[in-house]
Every structure is written in structure tokens, then in C-alpha cells.
Amino acid sequence: MTHSPMDPTDAFTELGRIALGETSLDDVLQHVAEMAQRVLPVPVEVSVTLFRGEAAHVAASAGDLAFDLDEPRYAPRSGPCLDAATTGAVLSVPDLGTENRWPEWGERARSIGVGSSVSIGMPVQEAVVGALNVHARTPLAFDDDTITVLETLAAYAAVALANARLCDSTASLARQLHEATALPISSRAAAAGGQPARR
């Protein structure tokens, strides 16, 4: 079954109108997930997996199947979504019927009706990494052109992640500076490991 896809150029233009500094990261990632659904010529379900340190979670999803397959609480402990997130690679599973790289994940995916899948890593500086995961119920749903479009969407999500990380770091630094300047002089000197200057 096919549907009328959105032109990728229109999708990227629509995403480009989002003011990253004025929109929450969750909302940006949800837009990316929904856009991935709209630009592909076959019905798909989409999730965005984020890692912070050892902890992973689904930050956005478009479809229950994607959430159930990729959410770490329900998902197998290995799979293309986790590997793509931690390595930054593009991992394509053209046909779940012949997939054997992730046996537990493959069995789970087949049991809920996934026919093919692609996960695209979104490496971000410092401690946050993620992946855009797209699943179709039919085998061989993703050709090279489709994967290129998805890579562009993943790159946009990576920019949003980096922007959010920068905002967090800036806010944290501003908080620390405010707290430091609010301390009495003697407390600041003690915190710095020295003594207050004598008059």
C-alpha cells in the first residue's frame, strides 16, 4: 500500500521554520518523527532514541509499533536502534525475514509486524547521542534515495540536539556564575581554596 508523500524539499523548508531556541527539544524531535512519516512513499512508523550516558529512552515517536519496538523498557537489549545511536552509523535491515545480526530484536520486530527497518545515528558532541529509527511493515521499503532523505532529517535532529545541549550548558554556566557572585567575599575565597584579602 502506498500513500502520497510530501516533497522532501517542502519538509525541510517546514522544519527550517522552527525556531530551535524557542521550541522544546521534545517538540522538535516529534516534528522530525512526523515529517519522516510524511515524506516516505510507504507507510512507516518512526521513533527517536536518545542516550545520555548509559540511559536510553524514546524521546519522540510517530506510531505505537515504533515506540513498542524501540523503547528500552520493552525492547531487547541490543538492536539497530541502539547500535546506530552509540556508533553514529546507518544500519539498514532490508528484510526482517532474513535478518540475523540481532536475533532477539529480529524476533521481537517480526512478532509485531515489522518487515524492514533503518536506523540512522545522530552523533552529538559530549554525552548525548541518538538515532532516528524508521520501520515499515513491508520488506525492502527503503532504497538509497529514501535513506538519503532520512539522513537529512537525522542531521536536522542532531542540530536540534546540539542546540539544546548548548542552551543547557549556557544556562548551567549562568546559574553557577549567579550563585558564585551571590556568596559573601569570605565564602567565595573559601570555595576557591584561599583566604579573603586583608585590608
Side-chain angles (χ1 to χ4, degrees), residues 5-117:
M6 182 180 191
D7 187 294
T9 302
D10 294 338
F12 302 142
T13 300
E14 187 173 320
L15 286 174
R17 293 193 189 105
I18 298 173
L20 294 180
E22 301 171 8
T23 307
S24 74
L25 176 61
D26 287 348
D27 284 346
V28 172
L29 297 180
Q30 186 63 37
H31 277 299
V32 171
E34 292 169 359
M35 206 59 67
Q37 277 192 314
R38 293 169 63 187
V39 300
L40 298 189
V42 295
V44 296
E45 297 200 16
V46 184
S47 77
V48 179
T49 303
L50 293 188
F51 267 85
R52 188 180 294 273
E54 296 296 318
H57 71 286
V58 169
S61 65
D64 293 338
L65 178 149
F67 184 85
D68 290 346
L69 182 58
D70 300 325
E71 170 56 42
R73 286 175 295 173
Y74 312 122
R77 289 184 295 276
S78 67
C81 61
L82 300 180
D83 288 356
T86 54
T87 65
V90 176
L91 296 176
S92 177
V93 181
D95 186 349
L96 261 294
T98 59
E99 176 55 48
N100 56 20
R101 287 171 288 180
W102 304 277
E104 187 181 358
W105 176 86
E107 182 178 347
R108 168 77 173 147
R110 285 188 292 273
S111 74
I112 62 175
V114 177
S116 54
S117 175

